[in-house]
Amino acid sequence: MSGGRRARVVREALERGAEHHRGGRWAEAARAYAEALAEEPGNVDALALLGGVALRLGRPAEALAVVERAVGLAPGHAVARLNQGRALLALDRPVEAELAFAVALGARPGFPEARLGRARALARAGRVEEGVDEAAAAGGSPEALALHGALLVEIGRPDAAEAPLRGALAARPDDARLHADLGACLLALGRDEAAAEAWRAAAARSPEVPGLTTRRATLARNLGLARLSTGSPDTVGWLREAVRLAPADPAAVLGLADALFQHPEPARGGDRGDLTTELVLVLDADGVDHQRVERAVRHVLAEVPGLAAVLAGAREVDAPLATALAAHPLFARWLTRTIVAAPAWSRLVDALRGRWIADVIAGVPVDLAALIAMATHAWHTEYAAGPDGAAGHHPDDVAALPPTPTHLAAFAMLRPLATWPELDRAALLAPGWEDRPLAPLVRAQLVEPAEEAALATALPSLGALTDATSRAVRVQYEENPYPRLVGVHRRPPGAFVAAARALLRDPTYVAPRRVLVAGGGTGQHPIGVAAGLREPDTRSPTEIVCVDLSRASLGRAARLATAAGMTQLRFVQGDLLALGPDDGLGAFEFVDCVGVLHHLADPVAGGRALVAKLAPGGVLRLGLYSERGRSEIVAARALAAEHGWLPTPDGLRTARAALLALPTDHPAAPVTASVDFYSQSGLRDLVFHPCEHRYTPSQIGALVTTLGLSVVALQHARQDAPRLYRARWPDDADGLDLARWDTLEADHPRIFSGMIHVWCRRGVTES
């Protein structure tokens, strides 16, 4: 073929390829460019354009190989460099991509596609500010406006991002990505209703856009969390969507647990559907207080056919219903991860236990996983229902059977596994025990208690207890460490500082380097504090010292802290009254005392000991019982005193049965709504504590003043509390007037959910 004819064939092939290229007919374009290359293998234009087609077809490695042939022939070819950069970016090599785009811009100044590519590469390489500038310089095309707006959101400038995003949407109203980016922008601006509207628009237009799933999950999570702070019921739908799309996102899982705690019942007419899948994900996740979803699980299980009649007392638990419950994906998780906290449901658990004990003794097959779950629940409640009377059978009836896994699990539904006569511990703990059927029970009832006892023995001490009340309190928690089942919401790193800045209205507040937790119990509170205090840079994590009266409680806390990776926690046994300049613990920038001071004979003396541990400028958080918010507990305590019930296992069971039998209008009857009512340690802490003080908000104000402190923040468990306060006193932006809160609590006795949390600092007049 002559040179002229060859040139004509190449030119026509390139023109044909370009036409197909513009029309999005990638396969046809590729064939045309290949035809040109067959005639002229070194044609740079054909190589550059063929590389672009390979990118469109999702083959970046192939594209890079082709365009690098072009770059080798013509290093300054703008289109070749453009597609080289795009291929490198698709292969997650942003630094090299940025250089390729820069060469393209040098070859063709103002090349908008190269500017956009360089902006993306800069952002991907972590140079987002430079990426913003490059996107702004790329002109006013929809692509440039979209990228500019998205990057502005990323660097925390949503106020500047809205205009370019809306400009891009005006040109491309059906672009799902743009609607999603606008939603993220509006959410960052605090306009969550508008953000929700944008998100709905994104999901409706194109739920399958590649890469949109991550954006959808993030936006749904952020919207859900924003709505959660307002108490809105639609938060469940948003966070449910986030968990479905990103089940490994801990913030979404924690958020859904919190949302279902606020709104456990399916919304009437709402798009809630069956929550089983999402609840399984929550219950299987670590770092979650699973008790927060217990009521929601009950609402799902209530749909099992025939169960409603059993709960209403209209029929007995028959074999089909027992089998259906055991097979439900939530049932074993519910019993294993939570404490069942409702009278009718607690009776259901007892009835199932009785039925399965009878079946085991009779040789009727029962699902072993269901037996283990039931035994685990009994262990967590410390056998609050009692070991006897299960379908007329005694634990000895089971112990008379051979020690098979089924029989051992059935026995552990009635009494601790360790009390099986002549238990062969060595066999149960032989190498490989973790892989055997009884592993969950062996771990919970044999291995973990031994670990906790060893840890408790090794703890340092502040010395002997001299206060009589402290000694009595210690006896209670040595016998019944509280809580028995520890569920910890491990908030994401930085959560503590973010919450503190919001509460203190101080954007400059930084993480304290040393924290004292006074009265940490079995670890639920200190581990939660430690999780929220984690920082991305963990080279010098916050040191957290936890002091508690009970070695048994701290042994459990130490084991759980180690399992959670909270190595910055240090546990010390002792009375907070023993804290002082010679205790060897030093000073602390944050002192946390929630649910403890009101159990001292002299709370003022305890408060002064805590204040003495505060470093200059430090913060003390106090959580104190509300007088009005615990009216049913006061009534139950009076009833216990009247009947002479004792805080022994049998005495607690007697009290439990009597309280459950109270008429619904009795002042103490609401005590059965507390999760603490359903375990021995919980009921003892709730109704039988040897010392309990309660406060009105005004009395807390007086206590804080006596301690030489000022209240700088109130931390609310109920989202509607600040709104109710502002509605009554719109002129008080700080909302820290405890006398006014006293007035408000008189009208809304549950506004503090039983405990009032105040953050305090030294009085402003102190030097």
Side-chain angles (χ1 to χ4, degrees):
M1 183 182 297
S2 67
R5 186 180 174 198
R6 179 179 291 109
R8 186 175 68 255
V9 169
V10 170
R11 184 178 65 254
E12 290 174 353
L14 287 173
E15 289 172 352
R16 225 174 24 257
E19 185 178 350
H20 290 310
H21 206 131
R22 287 190 294 270
R25 299 181 294 276
W26 309 118
E28 292 89 337
R31 281 195 292 272
Y33 297 143
E35 183 182 331
L37 288 169
E39 295 296 328
E40 188 179 334
N43 189 289
V44 176
D45 290 335
L47 288 168
L49 293 169
L50 183 60
V53 168
L55 279 170
R56 294 287 191 174
L57 292 172
R59 300 198 290 262
E62 177 184 324
L64 184 61
V66 172
V67 296
E68 287 192 338
R69 285 172 56 198
V71 167
L73 294 167
H77 194 285
V79 174
R81 287 294 190 178
L82 172 71
N83 286 331
Q84 181 189 32
R86 287 172 169 172
L88 289 165
L89 203 53
L91 294 168
D92 200 24
R93 294 160 62 180
V95 175
E96 297 167 79
E98 188 272 326
L99 292 173
F101 290 127
V103 174
L105 279 168
R108 188 187 298 179
F111 193 179
E113 289 84 356
R115 280 202 180 278
L116 285 175
R118 184 166 185 261
R120 291 189 178 94
L122 287 166
R124 190 88 64 83
R127 297 158 61 187
V128 186
E129 292 275 4
E130 294 176 66
V132 168
D133 294 340
E134 194 74 325
S141 70
E143 292 80 4
L145 291 171
L147 181 60
H148 190 208
L151 293 179
L152 284 167
V153 173
E154 187 174 336
I155 65 169
R157 292 172 55 192
D159 52 330
E162 184 177 1
L165 288 172
R166 289 197 182 279
L169 267 174
R172 297 196 327 223
D174 292 324
D175 189 315
R177 283 182 192 276
L178 279 173
H179 285 284
D181 286 342
L182 180 62
C185 170
L186 295 170
L187 185 65
L189 291 171
R191 291 154 58 187
D192 53 296
E193 291 289 353
E197 179 87 13
W199 162 237
R200 291 186 187 101
R205 278 163 172 78
S206 186
E208 302 302 327
V209 170
L212 187 58
T213 297
T214 301
R215 292 168 180 257
R216 287 176 63 185
T218 301
L219 185 57
R221 179 197 68 204
N222 292 343
L223 279 169
L225 294 176
R227 304 291 284 165
L228 179 66
S229 65
T230 68
S232 174
D234 70 355
T235 185
V236 173
W238 290 116
L239 290 165
R240 182 182 180 188
E241 175 81 357
V243 168
R244 276 202 307 264
L245 293 170
D249 181 354
V253 172
L254 288 171
L256 181 58
D258 289 337
L260 290 171
F261 180 72
Q262 286 185 14
H263 310 285
E265 299 186 31
R268 295 287 177 256
D271 181 21
R272 291 285 291 272
D274 183 8
L275 281 162
T276 298
T277 300
E278 292 86 346
L279 282 169
V280 165
L281 289 168
V282 172
L283 290 170
D284 283 348
D286 292 324
V288 178
D289 181 0
H290 300 103
Q291 192 65 37
R292 296 182 77 78
V293 301
E294 194 271 330
R295 287 181 299 164
V297 173
R298 280 193 264 122
H299 283 293
V300 174
L301 290 176
E303 299 301 318
V304 173
L307 185 55
V310 172
L311 293 171
R315 59 173 281 194
E316 299 296 321
V317 177
D318 57 21
L321 177 58
T323 300
L325 284 170
H328 196 287
L330 288 176
F331 181 78
R333 292 175 169 89
W334 174 56
L335 290 178
T336 302
R337 292 287 213 171
T338 76
I339 289 176
V340 178
W345 290 84
S346 182
R347 288 192 293 270
L348 168 70
V349 172
D350 290 344
L352 284 167
R353 179 183 67 153
R355 178 175 190 89
W356 286 336
I357 289 292
D359 286 346
V360 168
I361 291 173
V364 176
V366 182
D367 181 66
L368 180 59
L371 296 180
I372 290 173
M374 186 73 75
T376 301
H377 188 264
W379 173 259
H380 288 156
T381 65
E382 297 139 296
Y383 300 90
D388 303 330
H393 294 287
H394 189 273
D396 291 346
D397 298 331
V398 184
L401 301 170
T404 66
T406 293
H407 297 156
L408 288 168
F411 180 86
M413 291 161 56
L414 300 170
R415 284 183 178 168
L417 186 61
T419 64
W420 177 281
E422 299 181 11
L423 183 73
D424 190 347
R425 287 174 174 265
L428 287 175
L429 294 170
W433 68 265
E434 300 96 332
D435 301 319
R436 297 187 187 121
L438 284 183
L441 285 182
V442 171
R443 179 180 294 106
Q445 298 199 17
L446 299 180
V447 175
E448 291 175 354
E451 292 175 353
E452 292 167 8
L455 289 167
T457 301
L459 291 173
S461 174
L462 294 178
L465 274 62
T466 58
D467 181 81
T469 299
S470 296
R471 288 199 297 269
V473 172
R474 181 186 179 187
V475 167
Q476 170 177 323
Y477 292 124
E478 293 291 0
E479 293 176 352
N480 292 104
Y482 169 83
R484 173 69 164 256
L485 177 60
V486 180
V488 181
H489 250 31
R490 298 209 296 265
R491 302 290 181 189
F496 178 92
V497 172
R501 287 176 176 175
L503 281 167
L504 300 173
R505 299 178 179 84
D506 180 4
T508 66
Y509 183 83
V510 296
R513 303 320 308 167
R514 303 194 75 237
V515 170
L516 172 66
V517 177
T522 54
Q524 190 164 45
H525 188 65
I527 294 173
V529 171
L533 274 168
R534 287 175 299 167
E535 299 176 46
D537 179 5
T538 57
R539 287 173 294 179
S540 55
T542 297
E543 180 189 7
I544 302 171
V545 178
C546 176
V547 176
D548 195 272
L549 292 167
S550 164
R551 283 189 180 273
S553 297
L554 290 177
R556 183 167 305 156
R559 178 182 63 78
L560 292 169
T562 300
M566 301 299 170
T567 56
Q568 71 272 47
L569 268 166
R570 183 157 65 96
F571 298 95
V572 179
Q573 185 273 326
D575 191 345
L576 66 85
L577 291 171
L579 295 171
D582 300 324
D583 58 23
L585 299 180
F588 300 88
E589 294 150 303
F590 192 88
V591 174
D592 213 7
C593 185
V594 174
V596 177
L597 205 63
H598 47 231
H599 290 318
L600 296 179
D602 185 354
V604 172
R608 285 180 173 144
L610 296 175
V611 171
K613 302 305 295 180
L614 273 178
V619 174
L620 168 64
R621 174 165 60 180
L622 290 175
L624 298 164
Y625 284 154
S626 162
E627 181 69 53
R628 299 183 182 101
R630 286 176 67 83
S631 59
E632 72 276 12
I633 290 40
V634 173
R637 287 173 66 87
L639 207 59
E642 177 187 341
H643 287 277
W645 298 326
L646 297 175
T648 62
D650 287 341
L652 290 167
R653 292 185 186 110
T654 299
R656 183 175 184 266
L659 290 167
L660 281 168
L662 290 174
T664 56
D665 60 351
H666 191 284
V671 77
T672 63
S674 169
V675 64
D676 285 343
F677 180 81
Y678 295 91
S679 67
Q680 294 263 21
S681 58
L683 183 57
R684 189 171 181 180
D685 185 81
L686 192 69
V687 176
F688 291 87
H689 205 287
C691 181
E692 174 175 310
H693 300 273
R694 296 169 300 276
Y695 296 83
T696 65
S698 292
Q699 289 169 337
I700 289 179
L703 172 65
V704 169
T705 299
T706 299
L707 296 177
L709 303 175
S710 298
V711 174
V712 292
L714 269 73
Q715 183 175 335
H716 297 286
R718 282 179 44 170
Q719 283 74 19
D720 61 341
R723 176 179 56 78
L724 291 170
Y725 187 96
R726 286 193 300 270
R728 183 81 68 91
W729 298 284
D731 60 313
D732 185 0
D734 292 337
L736 298 178
D737 188 326
L738 290 175
R740 287 179 170 179
W741 279 107
D742 208 331
T743 300
L744 192 62
E745 191 192 34
D747 295 337
H748 303 276
R750 303 291 175 182
I751 198 167
F752 291 110
S753 298
M755 191 177 293
I756 304 170
H757 295 80
V758 294
W759 293 45
C760 312
R761 277 182 167 143
R762 293 188 187 276
V764 293
T765 58
E766 289 196 10
S767 58

